[in-house]
Amino acid sequence: MGGGIAICCAQKGLQVVLKDAKQEWLDAGMKSVAGIWMSQVKKGRMPEAKAKGYLAMIKPTLAFEDFKDCDLIVEAVPEIMSLKKEVFMAMDANTRPDALIC
């Protein structure tokens, strides 16, 4: 779900910070995102330079600290209340007071 949100935001010109809990999950997510755009390139629907430009707009990370300059944070954590609470507390501690977290 987070990858799809990242794709939509990057395609609208927004810089994206994409966080996951484990490096292998983050790598798999970025591979999936890249695969979606590269399939568009292969079908002739998107220039390769545009796909690479979109990829460059996504910063993959494992650190909540990378949200410090974000204006908008879209949470896409599984529906496990204890996990959501932990994530929101970490985001609150690492974001600006005026950041919108949804």
Side-chain angles (χ1 to χ4, degrees):
M1 184 171 169
I5 295 167
I7 287 169
C8 290
C9 291
Q11 287 182 182
K12 291 297 181 184
L14 300 173
Q15 293 292 322
V16 176
V17 177
L18 182 64
K19 185 197 175 302
D20 215 323
K22 294 184 179 181
Q23 186 65 52
E24 57 265 26
W25 296 347
L26 189 59
D27 293 344
M30 288 302 295
K31 183 177 180 181
S32 176
V33 167
I36 288 169
W37 282 322
M38 294 315 292
S39 73
Q40 296 300 307
V41 170
K42 288 178 185 172
K43 293 175 183 177
R45 296 182 182 159
M46 179 184 296
E48 186 172 356
K50 189 173 213 173
K52 288 181 178 181
Y54 287 151
L55 275 171
M57 296 177 75
I58 300 175
K59 175 184 179 178
T61 187
L62 297 173
F64 282 103
E65 294 83 8
D66 288 331
F67 291 126
K68 70 182 182 318
D69 295 321
C70 293
D71 296 317
L72 171 67
I73 297 109
V74 179
E75 168 270 325
V77 176
E79 297 300 317
I80 302 166
M81 195 51 64
S82 59
L83 177 59
K84 282 191 178 282
K85 185 176 181 179
E86 179 183 326
V87 167
F88 271 91
M89 289 176 64
M91 285 191 295
D92 187 50
N94 290 286
T95 56
R96 300 187 331 250
D98 64 335
L100 177 60
I101 302 172
C102 50

